[in-house]
Amino acid sequence: MRVRPRAWVGLAVWVLYGVVVIVLQKSSGVPYTDFGDSPSNLWRGAVVSLVVGAAVLAVVTTWLGWWRPALHERRTTKAKWTVIAPGLLAVAVIGNLASTTWSAVSLDFVLAALALGVFVGFTEELTTRGVLLVGLRGSVAEVWAVLISSLCFGLMHGINIFLGQSVAATVPQIGQAFLHGLTFYILRRVIGSLIGAMVLHGAWDFSVFSLEQAGGSNPLAVLAIVAGVLALIFFWFAARDAHEAVGDRAPDPAAAKA
């Protein structure tokens, strides 16, 4: 790594990404509440900013030399059962997709929503549970790194206030994003890679926009909330055996017995 992980570095990247996205989305002239109204709105209002954000993140992550720790764990958690939380969120995604009347969604919208899912999964996960988590691991204990990175993930969605969404609608969104952040962290720890969280995150956004475009409802939607609540309980178990900070090593069982 060219730069030693520190919390301020990760937070600086988080701020940079947030500024890039809010400036581009604001300049698009498309309010957040209108993103899902048409393929054009989705491309101009969201996808363009995410593509630029992805490019900025790729350059910064390369310069820092943080790709490996941002994308991979050196060792997975022993608490594999915590995957229940992201598993329930995955079921909620399947429910969204199954409840969508696809004949009511144009191909252009599907492509725009798919691009949104791909780039939002990549950028938001790399920013928060990638670069930011790596930086925090260099300054604070793992549990705090998880909570702070998940809080920052939630606050990311606070920019929607400046993009036309009401405070009343944004505050619950921030809370849900915080819980989802814990859910995605658990998935990273269980499988040892950020890629799974990127895929689940992107699939969630794609399924939500598609379902809303079709005007449908998902009877399994409550599972997304249940997953978040369980993640709030489970994340400590997934975090307690993490030794991912620079210079950390997993405890040697033989040495402990001696």
Side-chain angles (χ1 to χ4, degrees):
M1 290 183 280
R2 179 177 286 110
V3 178
R4 185 176 180 82
R6 287 290 180 265
W8 72 267
V9 179
L11 288 168
V13 174
W14 173 73
V15 170
L16 174 63
Y17 172 76
V19 169
V20 168
V21 169
I22 193 172
V23 168
L24 290 177
Q25 291 189 357
K26 187 70 175 178
S27 63
S28 73
V30 181
Y32 175 81
T33 50
D34 295 346
F35 279 4
D37 288 357
S38 69
S40 175
N41 281 6
L42 206 52
W43 282 110
R44 291 190 299 113
V47 178
V48 170
S49 66
L50 295 172
V51 172
V52 176
V56 171
L57 285 172
V59 171
V60 172
T61 307
T62 300
W63 182 81
L64 292 172
W66 288 10
W67 278 110
R68 180 173 292 278
L71 295 179
H72 302 287
E73 299 281 286
R74 287 183 292 180
R75 56 190 63 80
T76 58
T77 180
K78 294 179 181 178
K80 304 296 185 186
W81 54 269
T82 56
V83 78
I84 292 172
L88 288 176
L89 183 58
V91 173
V93 169
I94 294 171
N96 283 345
L97 297 174
S99 301
T100 300
T101 304
W102 293 102
S103 60
V105 185
S106 70
L107 177 60
D108 287 344
F109 189 90
V110 170
L111 293 176
L114 184 60
L116 172 78
V118 169
F119 282 100
V120 81
F122 175 79
T123 57
E124 293 189 1
E125 288 305 307
L126 182 59
T127 300
T128 53
R129 270 157 299 282
V131 174
L132 179 55
L133 183 63
V134 171
L136 289 168
R137 281 172 165 174
S139 299
V140 300
E142 183 74 6
V143 169
W144 286 109
V146 181
L147 290 173
I148 294 171
S149 60
S150 296
L151 177 60
C152 287
F153 177 61
L155 292 176
M156 266 179 150
H157 297 75
I159 67 174
N160 294 335
I161 294 174
F162 303 102
L163 299 173
Q165 183 171 256
S166 68
V167 174
T170 304
V171 171
Q173 189 178 26
I174 292 174
Q176 182 183 45
F178 169 73
L179 295 177
H180 279 185
L182 297 175
T183 307
F184 296 138
Y185 167 81
I186 289 173
L187 185 57
R188 173 187 173 119
R189 290 287 298 134
V190 169
I191 69 174
S193 171
L194 186 62
I195 305 302
M198 288 178 173
V199 172
L200 181 57
H201 186 162
W204 169 255
D205 279 47
F206 170 73
S207 71
V208 167
F209 273 94
S210 298
L211 182 64
E212 290 180 351
Q213 176 70 8
S217 61
N218 175 15
L220 300 177
V222 68
L223 291 181
I225 299 175
V226 175
V229 173
L230 290 179
L232 186 60
I233 301 170
F234 292 172
F235 88 92
W236 181 84
F237 296 95
R240 65 176 180 173
D241 57 354
H243 299 277
E244 298 297 324
V246 175
D248 278 2
R249 293 188 304 169
D252 184 348
K257 291 180 180 179

